[in-house]
mmCIF file of all heavy atoms in Angstrom:
data_model
loop_
_atom_site.group_PDB
_atom_site.id
_atom_site.type_symbol
_atom_site.label_atom_id
_atom_site.label_comp_id
_atom_site.label_asym_id
_atom_site.label_seq_id
_atom_site.Cartn_x
_atom_site.Cartn_y
_atom_site.Cartn_z
ATOM 1 N N ALA A 1 -2.220 6.888 7.253
ATOM 2 C CA ALA A 1 -2.500 5.461 7.260
ATOM 3 C C ALA A 1 -3.296 5.078 8.458
ATOM 4 O O ALA A 1 -4.168 4.275 8.337
ATOM 5 C CB ALA A 1 -1.159 4.791 7.242
ATOM 6 N N GLU A 2 -3.018 5.647 9.557
ATOM 7 C CA GLU A 2 -3.854 5.433 10.734
ATOM 8 C C GLU A 2 -5.293 5.770 10.583
ATOM 9 O O GLU A 2 -6.282 5.035 10.923
ATOM 10 C CB GLU A 2 -3.357 6.221 12.035
ATOM 11 C CG GLU A 2 -4.110 6.051 13.257
ATOM 12 C CD GLU A 2 -3.685 6.867 14.383
ATOM 13 O OE1 GLU A 2 -3.527 8.069 14.187
ATOM 14 O OE2 GLU A 2 -3.277 6.484 15.537
ATOM 15 N N TRP A 3 -5.552 6.932 9.889
ATOM 16 C CA TRP A 3 -6.881 7.375 9.593
ATOM 17 C C TRP A 3 -7.543 6.450 8.668
ATOM 18 O O TRP A 3 -8.826 6.080 8.877
ATOM 19 C CB TRP A 3 -6.929 8.789 8.980
ATOM 20 C CG TRP A 3 -8.164 9.436 8.868
ATOM 21 C CD1 TRP A 3 -8.824 10.208 9.625
ATOM 22 C CD2 TRP A 3 -9.205 9.150 7.763
ATOM 23 N NE1 TRP A 3 -10.040 10.707 9.300
ATOM 24 C CE2 TRP A 3 -10.261 9.995 8.063
ATOM 25 C CE3 TRP A 3 -9.133 8.340 6.669
ATOM 26 C CZ2 TRP A 3 -11.526 10.015 7.319
ATOM 27 C CZ3 TRP A 3 -10.365 8.401 5.790
ATOM 28 C CH2 TRP A 3 -11.385 9.247 6.206
ATOM 29 N N LEU A 4 -7.008 5.946 7.648
ATOM 30 C CA LEU A 4 -7.518 4.850 6.759
ATOM 31 C C LEU A 4 -8.019 3.771 7.419
ATOM 32 O O LEU A 4 -8.974 3.221 7.224
ATOM 33 C CB LEU A 4 -6.421 4.521 5.590
ATOM 34 C CG LEU A 4 -6.190 5.568 4.500
ATOM 35 C CD1 LEU A 4 -5.081 5.012 3.723
ATOM 36 C CD2 LEU A 4 -7.397 5.796 3.668
ATOM 37 N N LEU A 5 -7.053 3.164 8.282
ATOM 38 C CA LEU A 5 -7.358 1.932 9.093
ATOM 39 C C LEU A 5 -8.529 2.169 10.071
ATOM 40 O O LEU A 5 -9.327 1.179 10.361
ATOM 41 C CB LEU A 5 -6.073 1.437 9.787
ATOM 42 C CG LEU A 5 -5.040 0.902 8.807
ATOM 43 C CD1 LEU A 5 -3.772 0.662 9.485
ATOM 44 C CD2 LEU A 5 -5.486 -0.324 8.123
ATOM 45 N N THR A 6 -8.644 3.394 10.558
ATOM 46 C CA THR A 6 -9.618 3.654 11.685
ATOM 47 C C THR A 6 -10.994 3.984 10.979
ATOM 48 O O THR A 6 -12.010 3.632 11.624
ATOM 49 C CB THR A 6 -9.168 4.854 12.472
ATOM 50 O OG1 THR A 6 -7.886 4.602 13.017
ATOM 51 C CG2 THR A 6 -10.191 5.065 13.548
ATOM 52 N N ASN A 7 -11.035 4.602 9.749
ATOM 53 C CA ASN A 7 -12.305 5.074 9.249
ATOM 54 C C ASN A 7 -12.771 4.467 8.160
ATOM 55 O O ASN A 7 -13.952 4.806 7.514
ATOM 56 C CB ASN A 7 -11.960 6.622 8.938
ATOM 57 C CG ASN A 7 -11.776 7.546 10.185
ATOM 58 O OD1 ASN A 7 -12.820 7.890 10.883
ATOM 59 N ND2 ASN A 7 -10.575 7.673 10.544
ATOM 60 N N ARG A 8 -12.141 3.437 7.461
ATOM 61 C CA ARG A 8 -12.525 2.694 6.393
ATOM 62 C C ARG A 8 -12.677 1.339 6.766
ATOM 63 O O ARG A 8 -11.746 0.718 7.744
ATOM 64 C CB ARG A 8 -11.632 2.877 5.157
ATOM 65 C CG ARG A 8 -11.807 4.383 4.582
ATOM 66 C CD ARG A 8 -10.971 4.593 3.413
ATOM 67 N NE ARG A 8 -11.058 5.949 3.011
ATOM 68 C CZ ARG A 8 -10.349 6.462 1.845
ATOM 69 N NH1 ARG A 8 -9.345 5.669 1.360
ATOM 70 N NH2 ARG A 8 -10.414 7.764 1.557
ATOM 71 N N ASP A 9 -13.455 0.537 6.205
ATOM 72 C CA ASP A 9 -13.674 -0.924 6.470
ATOM 73 C C ASP A 9 -12.551 -1.637 5.692
ATOM 74 O O ASP A 9 -12.806 -2.340 4.698
ATOM 75 C CB ASP A 9 -15.100 -1.414 5.969
ATOM 76 C CG ASP A 9 -15.422 -2.761 6.463
ATOM 77 O OD1 ASP A 9 -14.658 -3.255 7.361
ATOM 78 O OD2 ASP A 9 -16.192 -3.346 5.886
ATOM 79 N N ILE A 10 -11.366 -1.625 6.331
ATOM 80 C CA ILE A 10 -10.238 -2.294 5.674
ATOM 81 C C ILE A 10 -9.775 -3.519 6.578
ATOM 82 O O ILE A 10 -9.368 -3.441 7.659
ATOM 83 C CB ILE A 10 -9.067 -1.332 5.641
ATOM 84 C CG1 ILE A 10 -9.330 -0.112 4.627
ATOM 85 C CG2 ILE A 10 -7.825 -2.062 5.115
ATOM 86 C CD1 ILE A 10 -8.368 0.947 4.660
ATOM 87 N N PRO A 11 -9.904 -4.689 5.999
ATOM 88 C CA PRO A 11 -9.492 -5.934 6.788
ATOM 89 C C PRO A 11 -8.024 -5.961 6.940
ATOM 90 O O PRO A 11 -7.278 -5.847 5.893
ATOM 91 C CB PRO A 11 -10.103 -7.058 5.913
ATOM 92 C CG PRO A 11 -10.219 -6.560 4.574
ATOM 93 C CD PRO A 11 -10.526 -5.005 4.759
ATOM 94 N N VAL A 12 -7.540 -6.189 8.116
ATOM 95 C CA VAL A 12 -6.103 -6.286 8.468
ATOM 96 C C VAL A 12 -5.748 -7.722 8.274
ATOM 97 O O VAL A 12 -6.301 -8.546 9.056
ATOM 98 C CB VAL A 12 -5.752 -5.730 9.856
ATOM 99 C CG1 VAL A 12 -4.331 -5.959 10.083
ATOM 100 C CG2 VAL A 12 -6.172 -4.129 9.795
ATOM 101 N N GLY A 13 -4.782 -8.038 7.470
ATOM 102 C CA GLY A 13 -4.448 -9.533 7.233
ATOM 103 C C GLY A 13 -3.344 -9.479 6.263
ATOM 104 O O GLY A 13 -2.823 -8.506 5.761
ATOM 105 N N PRO A 14 -2.889 -10.692 5.663
ATOM 106 C CA PRO A 14 -1.966 -10.942 4.814
ATOM 107 C C PRO A 14 -2.156 -10.244 3.466
ATOM 108 O O PRO A 14 -1.206 -9.996 2.662
ATOM 109 C CB PRO A 14 -1.718 -12.393 4.606
ATOM 110 C CG PRO A 14 -3.014 -13.023 5.152
ATOM 111 C CD PRO A 14 -3.565 -11.984 6.188
ATOM 112 N N ASP A 15 -3.424 -10.036 3.019
ATOM 113 C CA ASP A 15 -3.671 -9.313 1.681
ATOM 114 C C ASP A 15 -3.563 -7.883 1.888
ATOM 115 O O ASP A 15 -3.621 -7.212 0.721
ATOM 116 C CB ASP A 15 -5.109 -9.733 1.313
ATOM 117 C CG ASP A 15 -5.067 -11.130 0.777
ATOM 118 O OD1 ASP A 15 -4.137 -11.605 0.391
ATOM 119 O OD2 ASP A 15 -6.232 -11.688 0.617
ATOM 120 N N LEU A 16 -3.373 -7.209 3.023
ATOM 121 C CA LEU A 16 -3.291 -5.787 3.079
ATOM 122 C C LEU A 16 -1.982 -5.107 2.777
ATOM 123 O O LEU A 16 -0.917 -5.684 3.171
ATOM 124 C CB LEU A 16 -3.670 -5.269 4.641
ATOM 125 C CG LEU A 16 -3.592 -3.925 4.882
ATOM 126 C CD1 LEU A 16 -4.466 -2.984 4.014
ATOM 127 C CD2 LEU A 16 -3.795 -3.598 6.403
ATOM 128 N N ALA A 17 -2.055 -4.298 1.791
ATOM 129 C CA ALA A 17 -0.820 -3.460 1.426
ATOM 130 C C ALA A 17 -1.034 -1.997 1.719
ATOM 131 O O ALA A 17 -2.166 -1.481 1.364
ATOM 132 C CB ALA A 17 -0.590 -3.671 -0.100
ATOM 133 N N ILE A 18 -0.200 -1.316 2.494
ATOM 134 C CA ILE A 18 -0.223 -0.003 2.700
ATOM 135 C C ILE A 18 0.969 0.567 2.138
ATOM 136 O O ILE A 18 2.104 0.216 2.531
ATOM 137 C CB ILE A 18 -0.375 0.358 4.234
ATOM 138 C CG1 ILE A 18 -1.596 -0.216 4.787
ATOM 139 C CG2 ILE A 18 -0.429 1.815 4.437
ATOM 140 C CD1 ILE A 18 -1.676 -0.185 6.241
ATOM 141 N N GLY A 19 0.920 1.568 1.217
ATOM 142 C CA GLY A 19 2.207 2.134 0.634
ATOM 143 C C GLY A 19 2.041 3.475 0.106
ATOM 144 O O GLY A 19 0.848 3.996 -0.105
ATOM 145 N N THR A 20 2.975 4.055 -0.354
ATOM 146 C CA THR A 20 3.037 5.335 -0.953
ATOM 147 C C THR A 20 2.899 5.134 -2.531
ATOM 148 O O THR A 20 2.867 3.954 -2.891
ATOM 149 C CB THR A 20 4.306 6.166 -0.715
ATOM 150 O OG1 THR A 20 5.390 5.268 -0.792
ATOM 151 C CG2 THR A 20 4.278 6.695 0.707
ATOM 152 N N ILE A 21 2.811 6.136 -3.192
ATOM 153 C CA ILE A 21 2.523 6.007 -4.734
ATOM 154 C C ILE A 21 3.575 5.174 -5.496
ATOM 155 O O ILE A 21 3.266 4.278 -6.396
ATOM 156 C CB ILE A 21 2.252 7.274 -5.499
ATOM 157 C CG1 ILE A 21 1.022 8.060 -4.751
ATOM 158 C CG2 ILE A 21 2.102 7.246 -6.895
ATOM 159 C CD1 ILE A 21 -0.253 7.405 -4.985
ATOM 160 N N ASP A 22 4.783 5.333 -5.033
ATOM 161 C CA ASP A 22 5.802 4.507 -5.808
ATOM 162 C C ASP A 22 5.621 3.079 -5.651
ATOM 163 O O ASP A 22 5.750 2.294 -6.507
ATOM 164 C CB ASP A 22 7.142 4.908 -5.237
ATOM 165 C CG ASP A 22 7.351 4.758 -3.813
ATOM 166 O OD1 ASP A 22 6.642 5.234 -3.042
ATOM 167 O OD2 ASP A 22 8.336 3.968 -3.282
ATOM 168 N N ALA A 23 5.237 2.684 -4.386
ATOM 169 C CA ALA A 23 4.988 1.186 -4.084
ATOM 170 C C ALA A 23 3.812 0.720 -4.967
ATOM 171 O O ALA A 23 3.756 -0.453 -5.383
ATOM 172 C CB ALA A 23 4.728 0.983 -2.658
ATOM 173 N N TRP A 24 2.817 1.581 -5.044
ATOM 174 C CA TRP A 24 1.658 1.237 -5.850
ATOM 175 C C TRP A 24 1.980 1.030 -7.229
ATOM 176 O O TRP A 24 1.509 0.097 -7.887
ATOM 177 C CB TRP A 24 0.648 2.258 -5.684
ATOM 178 C CG TRP A 24 -0.545 2.318 -6.567
ATOM 179 C CD1 TRP A 24 -0.789 3.252 -7.451
ATOM 180 C CD2 TRP A 24 -1.643 1.353 -6.634
ATOM 181 N NE1 TRP A 24 -2.059 3.006 -8.226
ATOM 182 C CE2 TRP A 24 -2.546 1.908 -7.723
ATOM 183 C CE3 TRP A 24 -2.039 0.190 -5.904
ATOM 184 C CZ2 TRP A 24 -3.727 1.110 -7.986
ATOM 185 C CZ3 TRP A 24 -3.165 -0.588 -6.304
ATOM 186 C CH2 TRP A 24 -3.976 -0.035 -7.328
ATOM 187 N N LEU A 25 2.887 1.783 -7.797
ATOM 188 C CA LEU A 25 3.279 1.666 -9.196
ATOM 189 C C LEU A 25 4.157 0.485 -9.427
ATOM 190 O O LEU A 25 4.003 -0.166 -10.374
ATOM 191 C CB LEU A 25 3.929 3.105 -9.647
ATOM 192 C CG LEU A 25 3.047 4.364 -9.579
ATOM 193 C CD1 LEU A 25 3.896 5.420 -10.193
ATOM 194 C CD2 LEU A 25 1.778 4.150 -10.392
ATOM 195 N N VAL A 26 5.036 0.232 -8.549
ATOM 196 C CA VAL A 26 5.901 -0.833 -8.777
ATOM 197 C C VAL A 26 5.157 -2.172 -8.663
ATOM 198 O O VAL A 26 5.354 -3.078 -9.437
ATOM 199 C CB VAL A 26 7.010 -0.905 -7.683
ATOM 200 C CG1 VAL A 26 7.688 -2.268 -7.698
ATOM 201 C CG2 VAL A 26 8.005 0.192 -7.821
ATOM 202 N N TRP A 27 4.199 -2.211 -7.756
ATOM 203 C CA TRP A 27 3.288 -3.387 -7.562
ATOM 204 C C TRP A 27 2.504 -3.585 -8.889
ATOM 205 O O TRP A 27 2.435 -4.726 -9.365
ATOM 206 C CB TRP A 27 2.263 -3.159 -6.482
ATOM 207 C CG TRP A 27 1.574 -4.357 -6.098
ATOM 208 C CD1 TRP A 27 2.033 -5.352 -5.272
ATOM 209 C CD2 TRP A 27 0.221 -4.783 -6.449
ATOM 210 N NE1 TRP A 27 1.076 -6.286 -5.017
ATOM 211 C CE2 TRP A 27 -0.101 -5.818 -5.777
ATOM 212 C CE3 TRP A 27 -0.721 -4.107 -7.247
ATOM 213 C CZ2 TRP A 27 -1.241 -6.607 -6.031
ATOM 214 C CZ3 TRP A 27 -1.866 -4.831 -7.474
ATOM 215 C CH2 TRP A 27 -2.207 -5.917 -6.761
ATOM 216 N N ASN A 28 1.955 -2.619 -9.502
ATOM 217 C CA ASN A 28 1.226 -2.663 -10.777
ATOM 218 C C ASN A 28 2.146 -3.006 -11.965
ATOM 219 O O ASN A 28 1.873 -3.824 -12.772
ATOM 220 C CB ASN A 28 0.551 -1.289 -11.047
ATOM 221 C CG ASN A 28 -0.843 -1.440 -10.298
ATOM 222 O OD1 ASN A 28 -1.749 -1.964 -10.668
ATOM 223 N ND2 ASN A 28 -0.870 -0.655 -9.237
ATOM 224 N N LEU A 29 3.265 -2.324 -12.134
ATOM 225 C CA LEU A 29 4.289 -2.512 -13.167
ATOM 226 C C LEU A 29 4.764 -3.969 -13.191
ATOM 227 O O LEU A 29 4.933 -4.491 -14.246
ATOM 228 C CB LEU A 29 5.401 -1.619 -12.982
ATOM 229 C CG LEU A 29 5.143 -0.221 -13.526
ATOM 230 C CD1 LEU A 29 6.330 0.751 -13.041
ATOM 231 C CD2 LEU A 29 5.046 -0.004 -15.020
ATOM 232 N N THR A 30 4.876 -4.662 -12.013
ATOM 233 C CA THR A 30 5.482 -5.930 -11.951
ATOM 234 C C THR A 30 4.314 -6.995 -11.877
ATOM 235 O O THR A 30 4.510 -8.213 -11.482
ATOM 236 C CB THR A 30 6.351 -6.108 -10.703
ATOM 237 O OG1 THR A 30 5.607 -5.870 -9.555
ATOM 238 C CG2 THR A 30 7.554 -5.181 -10.784
ATOM 239 N N GLY A 31 3.003 -6.545 -12.091
ATOM 240 C CA GLY A 31 1.941 -7.593 -11.951
ATOM 241 C C GLY A 31 1.629 -8.013 -10.584
ATOM 242 O O GLY A 31 1.248 -9.186 -10.511
ATOM 243 N N GLY A 32 1.923 -7.272 -9.627
ATOM 244 C CA GLY A 32 1.832 -7.776 -8.238
ATOM 245 C C GLY A 32 2.835 -8.594 -7.641
ATOM 246 O O GLY A 32 2.753 -9.145 -6.538
ATOM 247 N N GLU A 33 3.993 -8.753 -8.477
ATOM 248 C CA GLU A 33 5.067 -9.627 -8.028
ATOM 249 C C GLU A 33 5.905 -8.896 -6.932
ATOM 250 O O GLU A 33 6.586 -9.573 -6.080
ATOM 251 C CB GLU A 33 5.902 -10.012 -9.197
ATOM 252 C CG GLU A 33 5.262 -10.988 -9.973
ATOM 253 C CD GLU A 33 4.876 -12.244 -9.490
ATOM 254 O OE1 GLU A 33 5.756 -12.827 -8.619
ATOM 255 O OE2 GLU A 33 3.792 -12.747 -9.673
ATOM 256 N N VAL A 34 6.084 -7.603 -7.005
ATOM 257 C CA VAL A 34 7.014 -6.851 -6.205
ATOM 258 C C VAL A 34 6.239 -5.775 -5.341
ATOM 259 O O VAL A 34 5.491 -4.954 -5.999
ATOM 260 C CB VAL A 34 8.130 -6.155 -6.954
ATOM 261 C CG1 VAL A 34 8.935 -5.374 -6.060
ATOM 262 C CG2 VAL A 34 8.823 -7.336 -7.731
ATOM 263 N N PHE A 35 6.229 -5.744 -4.055
ATOM 264 C CA PHE A 35 5.752 -4.824 -3.140
ATOM 265 C C PHE A 35 6.948 -4.191 -2.540
ATOM 266 O O PHE A 35 7.516 -4.709 -1.508
ATOM 267 C CB PHE A 35 4.793 -5.512 -2.172
ATOM 268 C CG PHE A 35 4.147 -4.523 -1.232
ATOM 269 C CD1 PHE A 35 3.647 -3.252 -1.668
ATOM 270 C CD2 PHE A 35 3.942 -4.891 0.125
ATOM 271 C CE1 PHE A 35 3.071 -2.392 -0.828
ATOM 272 C CE2 PHE A 35 3.417 -3.971 0.937
ATOM 273 C CZ PHE A 35 2.911 -2.691 0.521
ATOM 274 N N ALA A 36 7.381 -2.998 -2.996
ATOM 275 C CA ALA A 36 8.668 -2.500 -2.429
ATOM 276 C C ALA A 36 8.584 -0.918 -2.526
ATOM 277 O O ALA A 36 7.886 -0.387 -3.442
ATOM 278 C CB ALA A 36 9.847 -3.076 -3.168
ATOM 279 N N THR A 37 9.457 -0.239 -1.761
ATOM 280 C CA THR A 37 9.666 1.106 -1.884
ATOM 281 C C THR A 37 11.220 1.394 -1.627
ATOM 282 O O THR A 37 11.938 0.336 -1.545
ATOM 283 C CB THR A 37 8.855 1.834 -0.716
ATOM 284 O OG1 THR A 37 8.961 3.318 -0.894
ATOM 285 C CG2 THR A 37 9.335 1.522 0.635
ATOM 286 N N ASP A 38 11.591 2.660 -1.516
ATOM 287 C CA ASP A 38 12.984 3.037 -1.397
ATOM 288 C C ASP A 38 13.083 3.848 -0.076
ATOM 289 O O ASP A 38 12.059 4.345 0.335
ATOM 290 C CB ASP A 38 13.516 3.702 -2.569
ATOM 291 C CG ASP A 38 13.398 5.177 -2.370
ATOM 292 O OD1 ASP A 38 12.270 5.636 -2.455
ATOM 293 O OD2 ASP A 38 14.439 5.843 -2.409
ATOM 294 N N PRO A 39 14.204 3.987 0.427
ATOM 295 C CA PRO A 39 14.374 4.771 1.743
ATOM 296 C C PRO A 39 13.960 6.208 1.573
ATOM 297 O O PRO A 39 13.608 6.717 2.559
ATOM 298 C CB PRO A 39 15.941 4.624 2.028
ATOM 299 C CG PRO A 39 16.387 3.332 1.429
ATOM 300 C CD PRO A 39 15.488 3.351 0.107
ATOM 301 N N SER A 40 14.153 6.901 0.408
ATOM 302 C CA SER A 40 13.733 8.218 0.330
ATOM 303 C C SER A 40 12.204 8.431 0.541
ATOM 304 O O SER A 40 11.775 9.433 1.187
ATOM 305 C CB SER A 40 14.162 8.880 -1.032
ATOM 306 O OG SER A 40 13.326 8.475 -2.064
ATOM 307 N N ASN A 41 11.427 7.490 0.063
ATOM 308 C CA ASN A 41 10.033 7.604 0.220
ATOM 309 C C ASN A 41 9.611 6.998 1.720
ATOM 310 O O ASN A 41 8.741 7.536 2.402
ATOM 311 C CB ASN A 41 9.234 6.799 -0.796
ATOM 312 C CG ASN A 41 9.036 7.483 -2.066
ATOM 313 O OD1 ASN A 41 8.313 8.461 -2.068
ATOM 314 N ND2 ASN A 41 9.726 7.067 -3.030
ATOM 315 N N ALA A 42 10.274 5.913 2.108
ATOM 316 C CA ALA A 42 9.921 5.349 3.449
ATOM 317 C C ALA A 42 10.181 6.463 4.563
ATOM 318 O O ALA A 42 9.533 6.421 5.467
ATOM 319 C CB ALA A 42 10.809 4.146 3.643
#
């Protein structure tokens, strides 16, 4: 995640989401309503 923020032109602000694949899938399945993960992935 540090490398992504350091090496890509990623604006840091309220629109930024950084997550593992589960969080990406939940976000898409819920139409962007839920941005969440579980402790096993965290």
Side-chain angles (χ1 to χ4, degrees):
E2 180 186 49
W3 190 95
L4 286 173
L5 292 170
T6 303
N7 291 275
R8 293 182 182 167
D9 186 20
I10 297 177
V12 175
D15 281 344
L16 175 60
I18 299 173
T20 45
I21 295 298
D22 59 301
W24 167 247
L25 296 183
V26 169
W27 191 85
N28 279 283
L29 284 166
T30 61
E33 291 296 316
V34 179
F35 179 42
T37 187
D38 91 297
S40 73
N41 278 292

